Amino acid sequence: MSYRGMYASIILLAFVYVIYIFKEDMFILYDAIYQRQTNSNISMCNHRNYFQRTNCCFKIFWAKYAYQQIKKHHAQEELEVMNHTTVAHRNITRENRTCNTFLTLNDPQGGAGNVMFKIAALIGVAKRHGFLPRTTFDNHRIFKWFQLPPIYDKFPATNSILVKEERHEYQTVIETLDTSRNWTLGGFRQSWRYFAYARNEVRQMFTLKTEYTDKAKGFLRNISSQDAVNVCVHVRRGDMLQEVTIKRGNLPTDPAYLKRSMDFFRNRFNNRTVNFVIISDDMKWCKISTSGPDVFYSPFQTDVLDFALMVCCDHVIVTIGTFGWWGAWLSGGITVYYSAWPTKGSSLDRDLNTSDYFPDNWIGL
């Protein structure tokens, strides 16, 4: 090896070492910042006047959960902040007697996406007002997908007032709830506005377990080059083909829409390789309607692994349904949705405020 080559190798090794050291320092710095912020929040919450005009109960509830999540990845760190948080919560509850108001969710009906909307709204509204969030169920399958915060309590809060949902739109009444009362959140709450002030918390609690994302990432590595753009295409058919569902205002997936959406990404990233990964409850139809050298089909047979594919892709094309909505939102990239849904003039069209349902930065085609 020439001297020049030897020096280059030494410099490369030194660079890798510095990156490694920097990475460790970043973890330490992040943990220190988190501890300082947590201590600051708790310190302020111990002052009665500050406590009475802020949502300290929720802050401490979430601090305990967040720190437990950090500890799973940094087990070597001391439990000082965790212990301090627990003691502070106990003292505040004893002295102020105000950590006794709850926002409850007691309806587990619906698929994964439906229940995710309900729990996201629960966390969003609880954070807004400082309620302690709780559910009276823990038997839905999404409790196995994510490491959710400790919200389950089989005993319902006493004298809880039901907040009904009249239409599929954001209800401003949740902004003025009496924080001295217990409330139960009814309805499906299918709007991003309910958790607009709790985006970080919702993303954190809806982080899929690695046993699922590892499999999804493994599949994507097998079909993709390192600089490829992976776009997940969620195609829901199944119950959307039923006559009663179509009359309600739902539209079966249109092949022309899929082509428009895929062409959008091909043109958007025309200087890069774009791979389309199809997930569907009707893969046979998809293979007939959508094919090509840049189209791949999910090999998985479970909804959670298909969901993981959506989350792990760079961008998402959605058709109909909350399952695809959440995969797209958690993916965090560009989302294209079917703008013809719901059918204009249908009962669903009259019942749904699409600006409350689709985030402003999503693209309708």
Side-chain angles (χ1 to χ4, degrees), residues 69-80:
Q69 299 305 102
I70 291 174
K71 284 306 173 187
K72 289 181 180 179
H73 304 287
H74 304 283
Q76 74 279 9
E77 302 291 338
E78 296 180 0
L79 294 175
E80 179 181 345

Side-chain angles (χ1 to χ4, degrees), residues 338-359:
Y338 192 20
S339 61
W341 178 87
T343 304
K344 304 309 177 194
S346 64
S347 60
L348 182 58
D349 182 45
R350 293 188 295 271
D351 192 42
L352 177 72
N353 186 334
T354 54
S355 66
D356 287 343
Y357 183 72
F358 295 116

Side-chain angles (χ1 to χ4, degrees), residues 176-194:
T176 57
L177 297 180
D178 183 350
T179 56
S180 67
R181 307 293 299 272
N182 291 326
W183 298 89
T184 298
L185 202 59
F188 287 94
R189 304 295 164 179
Q190 293 176 6
S191 173
W192 56 270
R193 299 185 194 276
Y194 286 112

Side-chain angles (χ1 to χ4, degrees), residues 59-314:
K59 286 180 180 178
I60 295 172
F61 164 84
W62 197 265
K64 291 169 64 179
Y65 163 69
Y67 200 70
Q68 286 172 347
Q69 299 305 102
I70 291 174
K71 284 306 173 187
K72 289 181 180 179
H73 304 287
H74 304 283
Q76 74 279 9
E77 302 291 338
E78 296 180 0
L79 294 175
E80 179 181 345
V81 172
M82 183 62 189
N83 292 335
H84 184 47
T85 303
T86 304
V87 172
H89 181 266
R90 185 166 58 247
N91 290 341
I92 289 172
T93 304
R94 182 185 299 118
E95 294 174 7
N96 293 279
R97 299 295 180 185
T98 53
C99 279
N100 299 320
T101 53
F102 299 90
L103 182 68
T104 303
L105 186 65
N106 58 16
D107 179 13
Q109 293 183 355
N114 289 329
V115 177
M116 289 175 71
F117 262 117
K118 294 177 184 181
I119 293 179
L122 175 75
I123 295 301
V125 178
K127 181 183 179 182
R128 174 188 285 271
H129 295 295
F131 293 120
L132 292 178
R134 69 196 305 183
T135 68
T136 56
F137 61 90
D138 67 346
N139 57 347
H140 196 280
R141 64 185 182 279
I142 69 165
F143 281 79
K144 298 179 181 179
W145 294 11
F146 314 105
Q147 192 64 51
L148 295 175
I151 53 178
Y152 169 66
D153 191 328
K154 65 180 179 180
F155 299 107
T158 58
N159 301 317
S160 186
I161 304 171
L162 176 64
V163 185
K164 295 182 179 180
E165 182 181 55
E166 303 299 334
R167 298 178 67 234
H168 291 307
E169 64 179 4
Y170 176 72
Q171 293 180 298
T172 57
V173 66
I174 63 97
E175 299 174 7
T176 57
L177 297 180
D178 183 350
T179 56
S180 67
R181 307 293 299 272
N182 291 326
W183 298 89
T184 298
L185 202 59
F188 287 94
R189 304 295 164 179
Q190 293 176 6
S191 173
W192 56 270
R193 299 185 194 276
Y194 286 112
F195 52 92
Y197 295 104
R199 291 187 180 93
N200 292 338
E201 288 84 355
V202 171
R203 287 191 182 279
Q204 182 179 3
M205 73 174 177
F206 286 153
T207 300
L208 280 166
K209 294 179 179 178
T210 56
E211 63 188 272
Y212 305 123
T213 54
D214 284 350
K215 292 180 180 179
K217 291 176 181 177
F219 171 75
L220 293 175
R221 281 194 299 269
N222 288 335
I223 67 168
S224 301
S225 57
Q226 189 172 2
D227 63 341
V229 177
N230 294 316
V231 180
C232 191
V233 185
H234 170 246
V235 180
R236 179 179 177 181
R237 285 173 59 78
D239 57 333
M240 293 297 107
L241 301 177
Q242 298 175 5
E243 184 178 354
V244 63
T245 307
I246 295 174
K247 285 184 176 179
R248 167 78 170 135
N250 289 296
L251 294 170
T253 301
D254 179 5
Y257 161 69
L258 295 181
K259 184 180 185 305
R260 287 196 309 273
S261 302
M262 295 165 77
D263 285 344
F264 169 86
F265 283 104
R266 291 185 181 110
N267 295 329
R268 181 72 174 259
F269 301 102
N270 58 10
N271 60 339
R272 298 172 64 183
T273 299
V274 180
N275 297 319
F276 296 97
V277 181
I278 310 291
I279 64 172
S280 179
D281 58 358
D282 190 351
M283 198 63 82
K284 181 179 179 180
W285 180 90
C286 291
K287 290 180 179 179
I288 296 173
S289 303
T290 306
S291 61
D294 57 355
V295 177
F296 302 85
Y297 306 96
S298 168
F300 302 124
Q301 302 299 317
T302 60
D303 54 356
V304 65
L305 290 177
D306 277 348
F307 191 83
L309 271 180
M310 272 197 292
V311 172
C312 292
C313 279
D314 301 303

